Amino acid sequence: MKFVTSLLNRRAFVALAAASMLAGAMHSAPASAADVTIPIIVKDTTSFYWQIVLAGARKAGKDLGVNVPELGAQAETDVNGQISILENAVAGNPAAVVIAPTEAKALGKPIDEAATKVKVIGIDSSAESKAFTSFLTTDNVQGGRVAADGLAAAIAAANGGKVEGKVALITALPGAGSLEQRAQGFKEQLKAKYPGLELVADKYADGQATTGLNIATDLITANPDLKGIFASNLIMAQGVGQAIAENNLAGKVGLIGFDSDEKLIKFLNDGVISGLVVQDPYRMGYDGIKTALAASKGEKVEANVDTGANLVTKANMKEPKIDALLNPKLK
């Protein structure tokens, strides 16, 4: 009887051990892609530019079988709002986080803290942090140089080939990494290549198109011989374009904007805007999620990826490559 009891006990122990090993294996097995969550946090969910970024991220989520919450504040000026969104996203224990920081200094520490818990992939704009696993962005310094070249060409076309006169720079917000880099590239290129162009104004706005309109109107009034303006993001280009249109200066004052939407494309067609430096926000969103998934699996990813920038003019806007950038698929 003792033998039978001992045998039964041994069998029960073996069965229990096997069940325990199976449970442990199931617990430690890697999650499938469908179980993976990677939030993307943009600067402003209402802007057309950021909607394109989100569309790229959404498509990546579908292609890769990843859950991609689309997060962001209602305005690029809401820095504290983005910090709270980042903290809440990390608290949800995602596989990784993709973020476009609104303001370089303010987001530095929050990104450092987030990166102690998850992989953080940066897109579009820099932050004062070395904790990014990978960073995907336009080379914004080069984008500023492209803008300077485009403005010089527009001024030459309107002035018998002469590249000379007064120009201005209007930046949407102070402290945004991507915008500061564009301004840097623009000013460096003016100094290096276009000594005949004099930068008479270097203005900051508050992120609102109306403010861009007012600043441009004041510049035009104070400088009736102004030859060109670089408006370094979409919102500023909208406001400055409106000022050019209202003052009947299309073709007389060159305007280079950054990024595109329906309003800016119409301005380009109408000759109000001379050119647009267009990024590839769809690629930023798509590749941001793709890179984040790879990083979450421990795969090696590139530390820095240049997603490119192109000067769009009325002459080249119908080319297939350019048309795809101007008319991305949002669904």
Side-chain angles (χ1 to χ4, degrees):
M1 187 68 178
K2 289 182 179 179
F3 173 77
V4 173
T5 301
S6 177
L7 181 61
L8 289 173
N9 286 342
R10 284 200 301 271
R11 287 176 176 173
F13 176 79
V14 171
L16 182 61
S20 178
M21 290 175 65
L22 178 60
M26 289 178 66
H27 180 73
S28 63
S32 67
D35 298 323
V36 173
T37 294
I38 300 176
I40 181 167
I41 305 170
V42 297
K43 296 182 183 182
D44 171 8
T45 56
T46 66
S47 162
F48 182 70
Y49 176 85
W50 295 111
Q51 287 172 14
I52 299 172
V53 173
L54 292 176
R58 191 180 312 129
K59 182 63 164 61
K62 290 178 181 177
D63 289 351
L64 301 171
V66 174
N67 179 36
V68 181
E70 299 173 16
L71 309 175
Q74 296 296 299
E76 293 195 21
T77 52
D78 188 4
V79 178
N80 290 332
Q82 192 187 52
I83 292 172
S84 295
I85 289 168
L86 173 60
E87 292 171 346
N88 290 335
V90 172
N93 296 314
V97 171
V98 178
I99 185 169
T102 52
E103 203 277 327
K105 186 174 182 179
L107 268 293
K109 187 176 179 180
I111 287 171
D112 286 343
E113 292 175 355
T116 64
K117 301 178 180 70
V118 297
K119 300 288 187 182
V120 179
I121 306 301
I123 59 170
D124 184 78
S125 297
S126 63
E128 293 183 5
S129 172
K130 295 182 179 179
F132 292 111
T133 300
S134 182
F135 193 73
L136 299 86
T137 186
T138 303
D139 181 341
N140 282 292
V141 174
Q142 178 60 21
R145 295 190 189 108
V146 170
D149 290 340
L151 189 59
I155 291 170
N159 294 276
K162 295 180 181 178
V163 185
E164 58 187 32
K166 297 178 180 179
V167 298
L169 166 64
I170 302 178
T171 302
L173 292 164
S178 58
L179 303 184
E180 297 295 348
Q181 290 162 5
R182 292 170 197 172
Q184 175 191 337
F186 179 75
K187 288 184 279 190
E188 287 178 353
Q189 195 77 336
L190 289 186
K191 186 176 181 180
K193 288 185 65 177
Y194 307 109
L197 296 180
E198 178 189 2
L199 185 65
V200 296
D202 183 358
K203 300 287 187 178
Y204 284 103
D206 59 1
Q208 303 299 314
T210 301
T211 307
L213 166 63
N214 293 336
I215 290 173
T217 300
D218 290 344
L219 285 173
I220 290 165
T221 302
N223 301 276
D225 55 347
L226 189 70
K227 297 297 183 182
I229 300 173
F230 172 37
S232 68
N233 83 338
L234 186 148
I235 302 299
M236 285 305 101
Q238 289 178 342
V240 178
Q242 192 65 36
I244 298 291
E246 289 180 1
N247 287 276
N248 298 313
L249 292 172
K252 299 176 184 177
V253 174
L255 170 58
I256 301 296
F258 219 99
D259 300 323
S260 69
D261 66 359
E262 288 184 3
K263 185 171 185 177
L264 297 190
I265 292 171
K266 186 176 188 305
F267 278 154
L268 187 62
N269 265 316
D270 293 345
V272 172
I273 285 179
S274 309
L276 297 169
V277 181
V278 178
Q279 306 177 81
D280 195 343
Y282 190 92
R283 180 185 171 191
M284 280 187 206
Y286 191 100
D287 284 2
I289 297 299
K290 183 178 178 181
T291 301
L293 179 61
S296 74
K297 295 177 179 178
E299 297 174 12
K300 186 177 180 180
V301 297
E302 293 292 330
N304 293 282
V305 179
D306 179 9
T307 53
N310 299 270
L311 180 65
V312 178
T313 64
K314 191 173 181 178
N316 72 0
M317 64 188 298
K318 298 300 183 183
E319 294 176 6
K321 177 184 175 182
I322 301 299
D323 182 67
L325 293 173
L326 295 178
N327 300 288
K329 296 178 181 179
L330 295 184
K331 293 184 180 179

